[in-house]
């Protein structure tokens, strides 16, 4: 079954807002195993909306339209859909009552005249009650096709979709689709694909898709089947093979688990506390760790030591090291990591020092970053040469540092 | 002149990522006064991409395609555009060299074979060097139409667009469009609109557009004219009036200046050093300050004191205060700010403590955040009740803390 999304709103064409509805709906449709080939955005314009909707009805089974259901003259979605599908609009008594009720509890005392327009629905349409606004959602079926109209504000759209549209679509979808996520750190996207070329080339069911993230690659393996068991048994050998090929480079196979969550999970598992000693990343590694609810169990304090003086004062980096090798050096990174463990009385410390730019530091180039991890009397250190602007260099540093922390723990416990 | 956007990528159709490129490009095109009527997303599929591109070429003057320029077999944008426009692909020696150079400095030692594909360009195309990746941008002109191909990763797309595509589009646009940005902190979007209702209602040239950001509102005032001078004289009185209405709530009128840049600019101006004392924000305020090149002049060290013990040890928060009022309290925030100034020997300290959730802390609700700023023997403290999830609460806290820092400096020097 093929679904198409049409977002309606001139504010999207002007770039006033980011279209988060489309991502939300696309993800949910993928989860249902529905195929999506087109996402289209048009403005509040009768002719272009009409054309987009006609095209979508021809090539797709279900068309989900978002936005343009408001009370103003600009709002045309319902009118245009009814016209294209050859249906007239009639007043829906139930919806009229809901609008009355809604305004009773509203800060606006009077119901503006144009709000009654929202009580008109195409004949035969199913009305989806909207608890967070006046515009109802609508499902219109005709000739085996369905148009689903949803209000644009995400806080109205999401509950309407989740509670009323998702179950409707699930009923219409005969196939079972299951997928498995595999998240990898330590390879670029093309390297990952090269390592999987034989599997990707031969794929039809399950399929393997790669997604490049900052210093990470995510893989999604997806199977279509007639039953839950069949889907699982299609996935299992492929997932196992990929995990074998990448070993410890795989940091999680859980859909919702981020790198920092995986790190915090390992720290908790081995009952370790961690501290951070950051120079060029300036607190972002600590910030990532604190993303994880319950991080306080393993992370109690961190140091942002941007100046040499701060590195000496808080982390006991020696004056001689800073003078001889400079702040951006393997030696300084090591001393920061060791000093962090003692300063915070923690089990592990991850330390980063580097040149994020835009200016280089004497003969040391922009993008040169050293990171060190100290635990169990042993320090591991890595040297990177990152590309990109200041922001990108720092982002990559954060990911690689979290990954070094993860690998150091694994090395000690496996 | 009509511009159309085509986003290419199955990951968009699957909802794996939010399409932020479209918002970025749409906003910039609006800034140039270009008309946009369609935004389309298709997957990595030859037939559908080809069809979408043909349709776009018919109804628009300029088609901007993003994504699908990578090295993998999935990446088809360049091939399809060349085919539809009837152009052959040829190897570009300059780009081939750039790829070699790129990999020389990369963490990956070998150049995967498939990367060479990125050196092929359609005949006659203008090659836009990409400093942040291997895929170059391309401008292909034919029969009065133009196709602009940009890589999908935002950190590659944005600098390419800003430095090379924006000036190109500006040249093609006959009218003079000038706009002025005004960035405001301290009001919600509807509050800002209410304060400007008379200006917005009466607007035609210049126009005023509002953009809601996390705890900020950006305003863009845009004038169309036949000359630079005319545009400027249209903008001037409106910008002046808006600045009068919002006073110190305006933190910048510079397009590229972020809140942290404005803060660092003020710190430098008054020769102040700052330190951070962070609990729930866990290093993100320091991280934002370090975003600014040259931040080392004003920021030398920061503290992430997530546990009570760390607050006592590094910031000298008293045991009695923590016991009597708790870690999330006005009193603790104040002591953190005062302690930070002494611990770091800085002029100013911004401190934040709060409950980011998901769990509340006894009778204190999720979203309760205290922030304090200490400078010149005086401490200012603010209490917030933020809505949203953990991430959203922390994001808002960071912005409000940077703004409190900014306002505290202004209060002392104006």
């Amino acid at each position: 079954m093929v679904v198409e999304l049409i977002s309606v709103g001139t504010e999207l064409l002007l770039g006033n807002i980011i279209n988060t509805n489309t991502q939300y709906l696309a993800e949910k449709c993928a989860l249902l195993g529905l195929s999506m080939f087109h996402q289209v955005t048009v403005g509040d314009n009768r002719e272009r909306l009409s054309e987009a909707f006609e095209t979508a009805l021809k090539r797709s089974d279900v068309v989900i339209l978002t936005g343009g259901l408001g009370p103003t003259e600009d709002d045309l979605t319902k009118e245009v859909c009814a016209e294209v599908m050859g249906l007239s609009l009639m007043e829906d008594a139930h919806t009229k009552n809901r609008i009355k009720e809604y305004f009773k509890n509203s800060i606006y005392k009077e119901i503006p005249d144009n709000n009654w327009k929202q009580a008109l629905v195409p004949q035969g349409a199913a009305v989806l009650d909207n608890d967070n606004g006046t515009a109802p959602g609508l499902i219109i079926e005709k000739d085996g096709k369905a148009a689903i109209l949803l209000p644009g504000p995400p806080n109205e759209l999401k509950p309407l979709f989740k509670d009323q549209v998702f179950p409707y679509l699930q009923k219409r979808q005969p196939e079972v689709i299951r997928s498995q996520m595999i998240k990898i750190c330590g390879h670029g996207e093309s390297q990952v694909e090269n390592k999987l070329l034989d599997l990707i080339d031969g794929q039809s069911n399950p399929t393997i898709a790669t997604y490049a993230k900052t210093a990470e690659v995510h893989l999604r393996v997806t199977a279509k089947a007639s039953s839950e068991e069949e889907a699982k048994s299609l996935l299992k050998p492929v997932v196992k093979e990929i995990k074998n090929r990448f070993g410890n480079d795989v940091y999680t196979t859980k859909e919702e688990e981020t790198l920092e969550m995986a790190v915090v999970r390992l720290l908790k598992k081995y009952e370790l506390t961690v501290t951070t000693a950051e120079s060029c990343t300036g607190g972002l590694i600590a910030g990532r760790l604190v993303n994880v609810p319950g991080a306080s169990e393993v992370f109690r304090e961190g140091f942002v030591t941007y100046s040499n003086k701060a590195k000496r004062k808080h982390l006991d980096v020696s004056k001689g090291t800073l003078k001889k090798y400079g702040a951006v050096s393997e030696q300084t990174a090591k001393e920061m990591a060791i000093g962090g463990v003692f300063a915070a009385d923690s089990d592990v410390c991850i330390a980063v020092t580097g040149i994020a730019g835009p200016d280089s530091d004497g003969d040391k180039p922009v993008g040169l970053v050293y990171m060190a991890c100290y635990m169990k009397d042993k320090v591991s250190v890595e040297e990177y040469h990152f590309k990109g602007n200041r922001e990108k260099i720092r982002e990559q540093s954060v990911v690689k540092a979290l990954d070094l922390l993860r690998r150091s723990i694994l090395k000690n416990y496996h």
Side-chain angles (χ1 to χ4, degrees), chain A:
Chain A
M1 198 165 71
V2 178
V3 181
E4 177 159 349
L5 302 184
I6 301 180
S7 306
V8 186
T10 303
E11 69 276 20
L12 293 165
L13 296 178
L14 291 172
N16 289 15
I17 53 171
I18 292 181
N19 192 342
T20 54
N21 287 339
T22 287
Q23 186 267 337
Y24 174 83
L25 295 171
E27 192 183 337
K28 294 290 176 285
C29 288
L31 195 61
L32 283 164
L34 304 172
S35 300
M36 185 177 293
F37 300 131
H38 296 91
Q39 297 167 347
V40 172
T41 300
V42 290
D44 304 305
N45 174 285
R46 187 177 289 272
E47 193 188 326
R48 285 187 286 269
L49 172 54
S50 180
E51 197 193 327
F53 183 54
E54 272 178 60
T55 304
L57 268 187
K58 264 177 221 150
R59 64 191 177 191
S60 306
D61 305 300
V62 176
V63 184
I64 304 180
L65 299 103
T66 58
L69 296 182
T72 75
E73 284 178 35
D74 279 355
D75 294 301
L76 297 164
T77 305
K78 189 170 57 187
E79 291 73 5
V80 167
C81 287
E83 195 182 294
V84 169
M85 296 179 95
L87 301 169
S88 56
L89 292 170
M90 22 218 319
E91 193 176 88
D92 181 53
H94 169 73
T95 300
K96 195 168 180 182
N97 270 330
R98 282 186 58 82
I99 294 175
K100 267 187 206 155
E101 282 301 312
Y102 188 89
F103 273 91
K104 219 182 251 174
N105 302 318
S106 152
I107 47 169
Y108 306 110
K109 300 288 165 254
E110 275 170 54
I111 308 179
D113 271 352
N114 47 9
N115 272 91
W116 296 122
K117 177 182 142 179
Q118 295 183 302
L120 296 174
V121 309
Q123 57 182 125
V127 174
L128 314 176
D129 288 346
N130 177 357
D131 292 334
N132 303 297
T134 49
L138 295 165
I139 299 180
I140 319 173
E141 290 182 349
K142 203 182 169 189
D143 306 330
K145 306 270 181 171
I148 302 174
L149 282 62
L150 296 171
N155 69 313
E156 301 181 28
L157 175 137
K158 287 181 185 180
L160 265 174
F161 185 87
K162 187 169 149 277
D163 300 335
Q164 302 181 68
V165 181
F166 192 91
Y168 168 82
L169 291 172
Q170 204 161 28
K171 252 186 239 161
R172 282 183 71 118
Q173 162 70 346
E175 274 177 319
V176 175
I177 311 282
R178 291 294 175 272
S179 75
Q180 174 71 51
M181 175 60 84
I182 301 172
K183 300 185 183 179
I184 291 169
C185 213
H187 296 273
E189 189 184 16
S190 46
Q191 278 181 312
V192 168
E193 290 194 346
N194 274 342
K195 272 189 112 163
L196 296 176
L197 216 54
D198 54 321
L199 295 179
I200 292 174
D201 276 353
Q203 74 182 353
S204 63
N205 188 23
T207 55
I208 303 169
T210 62
Y211 304 92
K213 310 280 170 183
T214 299
E216 297 185 27
V217 178
H218 296 182
L219 296 174
R220 184 184 293 286
V221 189
T222 306
K224 272 190 197 199
S226 55
S227 73
E228 178 91 26
E229 295 71 48
E230 193 195 337
K232 278 187 181 163
S233 70
L234 281 166
L235 286 176
K236 208 177 163 185
V238 181
V239 170
K240 197 179 161 194
E241 177 61 25
I242 295 173
K243 282 169 77 175
N244 277 343
R245 291 191 191 184
F246 288 96
N248 270 350
D249 298 339
V250 174
Y251 72 79
T252 194
T253 53
K254 295 187 198 115
E255 185 77 36
E256 305 285 338
E257 193 169 65
T258 60
L259 181 55
E260 56 264 38
M261 284 165 126
V263 167
V264 169
R265 170 170 52 80
L266 284 175
L267 289 165
K268 282 186 181 173
K269 182 174 173 187
Y270 299 113
E271 296 182 342
L272 299 167
T273 57
V274 66
T275 192
T276 50
E278 305 183 63
S279 191
C280 66
T281 50
L284 297 179
I285 298 172
R288 285 282 289 265
L289 290 171
V290 176
N291 279 347
V292 185
S296 57
E297 244 181 77
V298 298
F299 176 72
R300 287 165 200 160
E301 59 192 88
F303 302 90
V304 183
T305 53
Y306 207 50
S307 70
N308 281 357
K309 199 176 150 196
K311 289 181 186 74
R312 287 174 52 200
K313 188 169 66 173
H314 297 295
L315 304 172
D316 204 27
V317 176
S318 84
K319 205 171 175 174
T321 300
L322 289 167
K323 202 173 169 190
K324 189 166 173 195
Y325 302 103
V328 179
S329 64
E330 195 181 310
Q331 289 79 5
T332 298
K334 279 183 189 171
E335 290 190 24
M336 286 170 72
I338 297 167
V341 160
F342 287 97
D345 192 20
S346 65
D347 300 308
V348 195
C349 178
I350 179 77
V352 177
T353 179
I355 299 161
D359 300 320
S360 59
D361 179 16
D363 53 348
K364 290 177 183 165
V366 172
L368 176 67
V369 177
Y370 291 93
M371 46 192 74
C373 184
Y374 181 64
M375 69 182 292
K376 305 225 168 204
D377 308 326
K378 207 181 113 199
V379 61
S380 310
V381 60
E382 290 179 349
E383 176 184 316
Y384 284 99
H385 296 259
F386 293 119
K387 284 274 179 186
N389 60 15
R390 185 174 175 89
E391 192 190 340
K392 198 71 197 161
I393 288 167
R394 291 170 73 219
E395 271 178 23
Q396 293 176 85
S397 302
V398 170
V399 176
K400 290 294 186 188
L402 288 169
D403 195 43
L404 172 59
L405 173 52
R406 183 184 71 87
R407 287 171 194 270
S408 300
I409 302 169
L410 290 180
K411 221 185 281 173
N412 272 285
Y413 288 90
H414 283 277

